[in-house]
Amino acid sequence: DNNILSAATNQVLKPNTVPNNPEWYMNLQKPKWNPPGFVFPIMWLLISKPTQLLALRKLLLSTASDDDYPWKILALYCGHLALGNTWNKVFFGSQRIGLGVVVISIFFSMLCGSAYLFRTIDVAAGNLLLPTCAWVFVATSLNWSIFLLNKNEKNTNN
Protein backbone atom coordinates (compact mmCIF):
# COMPACT_ATOMS: atom_id res chain seq x y z
CA ASP A 1 0.00 0.00 0.00
CA ASN A 2 2.81 2.43 -0.74
CA ASN A 3 1.53 3.96 -3.96
CA ILE A 4 -0.22 7.29 -4.42
CA LEU A 5 -3.45 5.72 -5.64
CA SER A 6 -3.79 3.62 -2.50
CA ALA A 7 -3.03 6.66 -0.32
CA ALA A 8 -5.77 8.65 -2.06
CA THR A 9 -8.19 5.70 -1.94
CA ASN A 10 -7.56 5.21 1.77
CA GLN A 11 -8.20 8.92 2.36
CA VAL A 12 -11.63 8.47 0.80
CA LEU A 13 -12.62 5.00 1.99
CA LYS A 14 -10.88 4.94 5.38
CA PRO A 15 -10.60 8.58 6.49
CA ASN A 16 -10.13 7.77 10.17
CA THR A 17 -7.45 5.14 9.59
CA VAL A 18 -3.93 6.28 10.38
CA PRO A 19 -1.16 4.32 8.64
CA ASN A 20 1.47 2.57 10.75
CA ASN A 21 0.65 3.12 14.42
CA PRO A 22 -2.89 4.52 14.78
CA GLU A 23 -2.23 5.17 18.47
CA TRP A 24 0.50 7.64 17.52
CA TYR A 25 -1.83 10.36 16.22
CA MET A 26 -4.44 9.78 18.93
CA ASN A 27 -1.78 10.22 21.61
CA LEU A 28 -0.41 13.51 20.29
CA GLN A 29 -1.32 16.72 22.08
CA LYS A 30 -3.65 18.74 19.86
CA PRO A 31 -5.10 22.24 20.15
CA LYS A 32 -8.60 22.68 21.56
CA TRP A 33 -9.85 23.76 18.13
CA ASN A 34 -8.77 20.46 16.52
CA PRO A 35 -11.57 19.52 14.06
CA PRO A 36 -13.23 16.13 14.62
CA GLY A 37 -11.97 13.37 12.32
CA PHE A 38 -15.14 13.18 10.21
CA VAL A 39 -14.65 16.79 9.03
CA PHE A 40 -11.51 15.99 7.01
CA PRO A 41 -13.03 13.68 4.37
CA ILE A 42 -16.04 16.00 4.07
CA MET A 43 -13.81 18.97 3.38
CA TRP A 44 -11.61 17.11 0.91
CA LEU A 45 -14.37 15.29 -0.95
CA LEU A 46 -17.25 17.72 -0.97
CA ILE A 47 -15.53 21.11 -0.95
CA SER A 48 -11.86 20.95 -1.90
CA LYS A 49 -11.74 18.38 -4.71
CA PRO A 50 -14.82 19.56 -6.67
CA THR A 51 -13.79 23.22 -6.51
CA GLN A 52 -10.24 22.35 -7.60
CA LEU A 53 -11.56 20.38 -10.57
CA LEU A 54 -13.87 23.24 -11.55
CA ALA A 55 -10.99 25.74 -11.24
CA LEU A 56 -8.73 23.57 -13.39
CA ARG A 57 -11.47 23.12 -15.99
CA LYS A 58 -12.13 26.86 -16.06
CA LEU A 59 -8.42 27.62 -16.45
CA LEU A 60 -8.00 25.13 -19.28
CA LEU A 61 -11.10 26.38 -21.09
CA SER A 62 -9.91 29.98 -20.70
CA THR A 63 -6.58 29.16 -22.34
CA ALA A 64 -7.76 26.62 -24.92
CA SER A 65 -7.39 29.04 -27.83
CA ASP A 66 -4.26 30.81 -26.55
CA ASP A 67 -0.85 30.24 -28.07
CA ASP A 68 0.67 30.73 -24.64
CA TYR A 69 -0.43 27.58 -22.77
CA PRO A 70 -0.14 27.99 -18.95
CA TRP A 71 2.54 25.34 -18.40
CA LYS A 72 4.18 27.16 -15.48
CA ILE A 73 0.86 27.61 -13.71
CA LEU A 74 -0.03 23.96 -14.21
CA ALA A 75 3.42 22.89 -13.01
CA LEU A 76 2.95 24.88 -9.79
CA TYR A 77 -0.54 23.44 -9.37
CA CYS A 78 0.68 19.85 -9.93
CA GLY A 79 3.57 20.50 -7.54
CA HIS A 80 1.13 21.43 -4.80
CA LEU A 81 -0.80 18.20 -5.45
CA ALA A 82 2.39 16.14 -5.17
CA LEU A 83 3.30 17.87 -1.92
CA GLY A 84 -0.14 17.10 -0.51
CA ASN A 85 0.49 13.40 -1.00
CA THR A 86 4.04 13.80 0.32
CA TRP A 87 2.71 15.48 3.45
CA ASN A 88 0.43 12.49 4.17
CA LYS A 89 3.39 10.13 3.91
CA VAL A 90 5.73 12.33 5.97
CA PHE A 91 3.29 13.25 8.72
CA PHE A 92 1.26 10.05 9.11
CA GLY A 93 3.44 7.44 7.41
CA SER A 94 6.80 8.49 8.85
CA GLN A 95 5.30 10.29 11.86
CA ARG A 96 7.63 13.27 11.33
CA ILE A 97 5.75 16.29 12.67
CA GLY A 98 8.54 18.83 12.16
CA LEU A 99 9.24 17.75 8.60
CA GLY A 100 5.48 17.68 8.06
CA VAL A 101 5.36 21.37 9.03
CA VAL A 102 7.95 22.16 6.35
CA VAL A 103 6.15 20.13 3.67
CA ILE A 104 2.66 21.44 4.44
CA SER A 105 3.94 25.05 4.60
CA ILE A 106 5.45 24.74 1.12
CA PHE A 107 2.30 22.91 -0.04
CA PHE A 108 0.13 25.78 1.23
CA SER A 109 2.38 28.40 -0.39
CA MET A 110 2.23 26.60 -3.73
CA LEU A 111 -1.56 26.31 -3.49
CA CYS A 112 -1.92 30.04 -2.76
CA GLY A 113 0.46 30.80 -5.63
CA SER A 114 -1.65 28.61 -7.90
CA ALA A 115 -4.83 30.43 -6.87
CA TYR A 116 -3.20 33.78 -7.60
CA LEU A 117 -1.88 32.65 -10.99
CA PHE A 118 -5.19 31.00 -11.93
CA ARG A 119 -6.83 34.33 -11.10
CA THR A 120 -4.53 36.22 -13.48
CA ILE A 121 -6.01 34.19 -16.33
CA ASP A 122 -9.56 33.71 -15.10
CA VAL A 123 -10.87 35.40 -11.93
CA ALA A 124 -13.47 32.68 -11.31
CA ALA A 125 -10.84 29.93 -11.66
CA GLY A 126 -8.69 31.60 -9.01
CA ASN A 127 -11.67 32.18 -6.73
CA LEU A 128 -12.67 28.52 -6.99
CA LEU A 129 -9.38 27.59 -5.32
CA LEU A 130 -10.08 29.81 -2.30
CA PRO A 131 -12.09 27.20 -0.33
CA THR A 132 -9.16 24.80 -0.68
CA CYS A 133 -6.75 27.57 0.39
CA ALA A 134 -8.89 28.17 3.47
CA TRP A 135 -9.00 24.48 4.37
CA VAL A 136 -5.26 23.98 3.83
CA PHE A 137 -4.68 27.05 6.02
CA VAL A 138 -6.58 25.21 8.78
CA ALA A 139 -4.56 22.03 8.14
CA THR A 140 -1.28 23.97 8.15
CA SER A 141 -2.22 25.75 11.37
CA LEU A 142 -3.15 22.41 12.92
CA ASN A 143 0.17 20.85 11.89
CA TRP A 144 2.07 23.83 13.34
CA SER A 145 0.04 23.64 16.58
CA ILE A 146 0.66 19.91 16.93
CA PHE A 147 4.36 20.49 16.29
CA LEU A 148 4.59 23.22 18.93
CA LEU A 149 2.57 21.23 21.48
CA ASN A 150 4.63 18.07 20.99
CA LYS A 151 8.12 19.36 20.11
CA ASN A 152 9.65 18.10 23.35
CA GLU A 153 8.01 14.67 23.24
CA LYS A 154 10.23 11.69 22.45
CA ASN A 155 7.71 9.86 20.22
CA THR A 156 7.29 12.65 17.65
CA ASN A 157 10.38 12.10 15.46
CA ASN A 158 10.73 15.81 14.84
Side-chain angles (χ1 to χ4, degrees):
D1 259 1
N2 284 333
N3 64 46
I4 291 173
L5 182 59
S6 68
T9 303
N10 285 339
Q11 249 185 344
V12 173
L13 299 177
K14 303 178 200 171
N16 293 322
T17 301
V18 177
N20 291 340
N21 178 3
E23 301 290 317
W24 172 79
Y25 185 74
M26 290 184 343
N27 291 328
L28 290 174
Q29 293 181 51
K30 294 175 213 63
K32 293 178 182 175
W33 56 268
N34 183 48
F38 70 86
V39 171
F40 291 90
I42 291 170
M43 292 304 293
W44 286 121
L45 293 173
L46 300 181
I47 295 169
S48 181
K49 297 306 179 193
T51 58
Q52 284 189 57
L53 290 173
L54 288 171
L56 192 55
R57 180 181 183 276
K58 191 117 178 79
L59 176 80
L60 294 175
L61 289 175
S62 295
T63 59
S65 61
D66 292 352
D67 291 333
D68 191 22
Y69 198 73
W71 292 112
K72 291 178 184 175
I73 297 171
L74 292 174
L76 183 65
Y77 179 77
C78 290
H80 113 271
L81 293 174
L83 281 176
N85 286 325
T86 301
W87 177 81
N88 277 319
K89 291 180 179 188
V90 167
F91 186 84
F92 288 109
S94 299
Q95 300 174 353
R96 302 279 310 271
I97 300 171
L99 186 56
V101 164
V102 172
V103 173
I104 201 167
S105 296
I106 297 168
F107 164 55
F108 178 58
S109 298
M110 290 176 79
L111 172 61
C112 291
S114 295
Y116 172 77
L117 292 174
F118 272 46
R119 202 167 196 284
T120 64
I121 292 176
D122 186 296
V123 173
N127 289 345
L128 282 165
L129 288 178
L130 293 180
T132 303
C133 290
W135 180 243
V136 175
F137 174 76
V138 170
T140 303
S141 300
L142 180 61
N143 195 158
W144 270 100
S145 296
I146 291 171
F147 171 70
L148 293 172
L149 289 169
N150 293 279
K151 67 182 178 183
N152 295 325
E153 299 294 322
K154 292 181 180 169
N155 67 336
T156 59
N157 290 325
N158 291 316

